[in-house]
Amino acid sequence: MKRLLLLLFTPLLVVPAFAQHDFPSEKKEPPDMGELFSVKETFRYEVKYGFFKLGWINVRLLSDTLYQDQERKHILTEIESNGSIPFVGDELDQYHSLFYVNEEGFPVESKYWKDNIDEKEYDEIVYWFDRDLGKVYYKEEDNTRDTLDLEDPATSGHLIFYFSRLFAGSEENFKLPVYVTKKKGYIYGKNSLEKEERRYEPFDEPVMAYRLDGSTENIEGPFGFSGDFRAWFLDDDLRVPLEARVKVFWGNVIVRIIDYTCEEL
């Protein structure tokens, strides 16, 4: 269940009155990483399959930290399962990434790890990215370890939360290398200038959103995840991730934003 929720969120990912950025946006081009770092954002998403609420996903950028004597950004994705679902119970996992922005302006990973909070298993999964040697080293849940060749802009998945926003509302497509489940795969995104009217819980009125059509390669998803997905981003200057829909055997799993805060730094 926990890996399902993370994989479903990977394709993302009404702004409240206290959000300090422009909506709708008069800015034609997507934001760059400097603009995304100019605010403090917190996100909460609900994950549903039909009438079943699978759980929730929380995302926030933590304070900068030192990693190997270099300053790094620190993003936290927290996944809560819905304890009322039979045979699931209350589960809480935290996924961390230490990353920086490379010369091309893309977020790239330095270290990724998973803490299984409810079972008190810390560093249950760890991926290290060594750009001097061009290698990715990993330790997985079953304690297997191995080395993979690194391809930039390398990530372990949830940095797409920033990466995809650099292209939303443009005609530029992307290909993102992802290191997960002991191998390298890819996420492909096809963007468009077209906007759709959609409704979300934090808004009193409909909003306009840019749509992304995506697919994956060599990334295994559970329950019939075909590799195709759709995602929507708010028509604002930060391209806030609003929703992702992933196909499974019988229908779609939907990840929708239910709370968002934004403060100028």
Side-chain angles (χ1 to χ4, degrees):
M1 175 63 69
K2 292 176 285 187
R3 186 175 290 273
L4 166 63
L5 294 180
L6 182 63
L7 287 171
L8 293 175
F9 176 68
T10 295
L12 286 177
L13 302 210
V14 187
V15 180
F18 47 82
Q20 298 296 313
H21 58 91
D22 294 331
F23 172 74
S25 178
E26 297 180 358
K27 187 171 179 285
K28 300 300 182 182
E29 66 275 6
D32 58 32
M33 290 303 299
E35 292 172 292
L36 295 178
F37 289 154
S38 70
V39 294
K40 179 180 179 181
E41 298 174 295
T42 63
F43 304 81
R44 184 168 174 84
Y45 298 86
E46 180 181 77
V47 184
K48 297 187 73 174
Y49 174 65
F51 296 106
F52 295 99
K53 185 183 299 182
L54 301 180
W56 301 267
I57 298 171
N58 306 302
V59 183
R60 65 182 185 273
L61 189 66
L62 304 181
S63 300
D64 292 353
T65 187
L66 284 179
Y67 176 73
Q68 297 180 340
D69 296 325
Q70 300 290 324
E71 189 174 88
R72 294 290 182 256
K73 298 294 183 181
H74 186 177
I75 187 174
L76 168 64
T77 298
E78 189 174 66
I79 295 180
E80 309 170 49
S81 67
N82 183 356
S84 65
I85 297 177
F87 311 112
V88 174
D90 294 317
E91 298 192 7
L92 177 63
D93 280 359
Q94 293 182 342
Y95 300 83
H96 298 260
S97 283
L98 302 182
F99 69 101
Y100 65 97
V101 179
N102 67 10
E103 293 180 354
E104 288 74 37
F106 298 135
V108 293
E109 201 125 27
S110 295
K111 181 183 178 182
Y112 162 87
W113 73 97
K114 169 194 171 185
D115 291 333
N116 187 335
I117 303 300
D118 56 285
E119 296 182 14
K120 299 182 180 179
E121 294 285 345
Y122 300 96
D123 293 334
E124 191 172 51
I125 298 173
V126 187
Y127 281 69
W128 300 268
F129 297 77
D130 188 331
R131 285 175 176 79
D132 292 332
L133 297 178
K135 298 295 181 181
V136 177
Y137 309 95
Y138 69 76
K139 178 185 80 73
E140 271 286 349
E141 287 176 306
D142 59 3
N143 210 35
T144 57
R145 300 169 184 262
D146 208 342
T147 303
L148 304 169
D149 291 331
L150 185 149
E151 178 184 349
D152 266 331
T155 171
S156 281
H158 66 164
L159 281 190
I160 195 175
F161 185 79
Y162 280 117
F163 188 87
S164 59
R165 297 165 76 178
L166 305 179
F167 303 90
S170 75
E171 294 182 300
E172 187 175 357
N173 303 327
F174 65 79
K175 172 184 176 181
L176 178 64
V178 175
Y179 293 81
V180 64
T181 61
K182 308 180 185 182
K183 59 189 177 182
K184 177 179 71 174
Y186 296 95
I187 296 176
Y188 299 94
K190 182 179 179 181
N191 293 285
S192 171
L193 295 175
E194 295 184 7
K195 291 182 279 190
E196 302 177 13
E197 184 177 279
R198 302 185 68 81
R199 289 182 176 273
Y200 294 96
E201 184 175 327
F203 288 97
D204 294 327
E205 301 292 337
V207 299
M208 300 304 294
Y210 294 105
R211 174 171 158 177
L212 176 152
D213 290 286
S215 62
T216 66
E217 176 186 340
N218 203 35
I219 297 177
E220 296 177 2
F223 303 112
F225 174 34
S226 67
D228 295 329
F229 64 89
R230 290 173 290 163
W232 287 265
F233 300 82
L234 186 65
D235 173 25
D236 72 336
D237 55 335
L238 297 179
R239 302 297 198 264
V240 173
L242 297 171
E243 179 180 349
R245 291 182 176 231
V246 177
K247 293 181 180 178
V248 293
F249 278 136
W250 301 284
N252 293 279
V253 172
I254 302 174
V255 182
R256 288 175 60 91
I257 195 166
I258 58 173
D259 192 31
Y260 171 68
T261 66
C262 177
E263 301 175 11
E264 295 283 353
L265 294 177

